């Protein structure tokens, strides 16, 4: 059995299938860990969602900012943005089934000494604390009042964690850290405007994973989100967004031995995948 961690797919279904073929993925015994952003910008978000959902327990997919954006748009709490490619999902006959499955994905996943999250973790969060905080967001998304949460999700304030935060401010900080974070201060103040390379941080900020003595350093953190950062395979860090949707590569790392697999990508201007879309999944009984 092997576990493959896969970077941001963002609707690049043809490339995902090619990557799994290159890695000789065996769905009967292997597992896939997705860093989030299954959808948007690429041409085949619907086929991607159907495929990953159909894998069942063979796949773990944490939520990314584009996944949450799809949920907010679908429920009328946000407007589509220029460059979005979500309409095929929104008009699909099985949209409600897929959206319900998506909102029940975890914010974070941990096994042994490896932690999977879309963007990053604030320096004052150890892994155990981060899992607890992720659970608070998951409870809000999976509960009957999830619409109220999605309606107030957007925003960059507060820009730092404080234990006494309550309500939507508390949840928004957790979501922003786990799905949008690139740069922060050593005190955990987040900056969301800069999307460039790690070597070009805003004054007073660092890439979140370079903050000295960050408490999540006990684990290997596997993440995506940051295409300008690119692929990084380090002892305690796996950065897997290698810019597939921008014409870069889609990357996977086999966690047991760190073997790297990559395929070239056509980018967001690609026509819909030549792979047939998955059939709509059956509704659970």
């Amino acid at each position: 059995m092997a576990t493959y961690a896969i970077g941001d797919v963002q609707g690049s279904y043809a490339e995902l299938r090619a990557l799994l073929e290159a890695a000789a993925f065996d769905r009967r015994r292997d597992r896939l860990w997705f860093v989030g952003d299954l959808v948007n910008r690429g041409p085949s978000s619907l086929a991607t969602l159907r495929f990953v959902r159909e894998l069942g327990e063979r796949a773990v997919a944490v939520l990314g900012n584009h996944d949450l954006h799809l949920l907010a748009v679908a429920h009328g709490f946000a407007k589509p943005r220029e460059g979005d490619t979500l309409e095929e999902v929104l008009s699909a006959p099985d949209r409600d089934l897929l959206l319900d499955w998506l909102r029940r994905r975890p914010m974070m996943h941990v096994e042994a000494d490896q932690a999977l999250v879309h963007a990053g973790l604030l320096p004052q969060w150890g892994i155990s604390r981060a899992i607890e905080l992720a659970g608070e967001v998951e409870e809000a998304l999976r509960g009957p009042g999830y619409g109220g949460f999605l309606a107030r999700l957007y925003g960059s304030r507060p820009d730092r964690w404080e234990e006494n935060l309550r309500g939507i401010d508390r949840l928004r900080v957790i979501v922003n850290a786990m799905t949008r974070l690139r740069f922060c201060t050593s005190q955990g103040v987040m900056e969301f405007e800069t999307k460039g390379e790690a070597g070009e941080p805003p004054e007073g900020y660092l890439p979140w994973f370079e903050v000295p003595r960050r408490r999540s350093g006990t684990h290997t953190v596997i993440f995506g989100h940051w295409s300008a950062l690119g692929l990084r395979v380090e002892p305690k860090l796996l950065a897997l967004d290698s810019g597939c949707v921008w014409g870069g590569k889609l990357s996977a790392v086999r966690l047991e031995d760190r073997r790297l697999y990559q395929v070239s990508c056509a980018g967001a201007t690609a026509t819909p995948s030549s792979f047939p879309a998955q059939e709509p999944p059956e509704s659970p009984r």
Side-chain angles (χ1 to χ4, degrees):
M1 183 183 78
T3 300
Y4 300 91
I6 299 176
D8 303 45
V9 177
Q10 293 193 243
S12 301
Y13 179 60
E15 289 85 354
L16 173 60
R17 292 294 298 266
L19 182 65
L20 296 182
E21 183 176 349
F25 168 68
D26 184 344
R27 64 187 299 162
R28 296 168 299 180
R29 57 186 181 86
D30 297 336
R31 295 196 304 161
L32 304 178
W33 285 14
F34 292 93
V35 300
D37 280 1
L38 292 176
V39 302
N40 210 12
R41 305 296 185 183
S44 302
S45 293
L46 178 60
T48 302
L49 281 178
R50 287 174 174 171
F51 175 72
V52 178
R53 179 188 178 276
E54 198 271 333
L55 288 172
E57 294 182 356
R58 310 315 300 175
V60 174
V62 295
L63 287 166
N65 54 303
H66 282 283
D67 306 316
L68 290 170
H69 178 60
L70 168 59
L71 291 172
V73 170
H75 290 93
F77 299 120
K79 294 181 179 179
R81 297 169 175 167
E82 183 179 357
D84 281 357
T85 58
L86 300 172
E87 185 54 41
E88 188 182 24
V89 177
L90 297 174
S91 60
D94 52 334
R95 59 161 272 166
D96 291 343
L97 183 63
L98 294 170
L99 294 172
D100 187 66
W101 173 82
L102 187 63
R103 73 179 176 92
R104 296 177 188 279
R105 296 311 92 206
M107 292 293 298
M108 186 177 174
H109 178 77
V110 176
E111 288 187 24
D113 62 348
Q114 300 183 107
L116 181 72
V117 68
H118 179 60
L121 298 171
L122 290 176
Q124 59 266 55
W125 293 347
I127 295 298
S128 296
R129 184 60 175 143
I131 281 288
E132 292 174 353
L133 297 176
E136 295 183 24
V137 175
E138 292 161 9
E139 183 178 5
L141 266 175
R142 297 170 185 178
Y146 70 91
F149 167 72
L150 291 172
R152 302 174 64 193
L153 173 63
Y154 283 81
S156 298
R157 294 288 184 273
D159 62 0
R160 69 202 70 189
W161 173 251
E162 296 178 5
E163 285 291 342
N164 62 358
L165 287 172
R166 295 292 182 267
I168 191 61
D169 284 348
R170 181 181 181 90
L171 297 177
R172 189 183 295 125
V173 170
I174 299 167
V175 169
N176 283 344
M178 293 188 179
T179 69
R180 297 177 61 201
L181 181 61
R182 294 185 180 92
F183 296 102
C184 66
T185 68
S186 57
Q187 290 76 38
V189 179
M190 297 179 282
E191 196 271 355
F192 298 115
E193 299 300 319
T194 307
K195 300 180 180 181
E197 297 180 3
E200 301 173 351
E203 185 175 357
Y205 292 82
L206 290 168
W208 67 268
F209 52 83
E210 292 184 2
V211 172
R213 297 178 296 280
R214 63 178 173 88
R215 294 186 179 179
S216 58
T218 56
H219 288 58
T220 296
V221 180
I222 305 165
F223 68 102
H225 183 61
W226 197 344
S227 59
L229 176 67
L231 178 73
R232 287 199 179 190
V233 179
E234 300 177 4
K236 288 290 187 177
L237 201 75
L238 287 178
L240 297 180
D241 185 358
S242 43
C244 181
V245 79
W246 307 115
K249 295 180 182 295
L250 185 61
S251 299
V253 170
R254 189 166 61 195
L255 297 182
E256 288 75 15
D257 59 4
R258 295 291 187 98
R259 179 171 176 177
L260 173 66
Y261 299 87
Q262 290 186 305
V263 295
S264 297
C265 299
T269 58
T271 55
S273 166
S274 59
F275 284 95
Q278 300 292 301
E279 292 298 316
E282 295 181 359
S283 299
R285 295 181 180 179

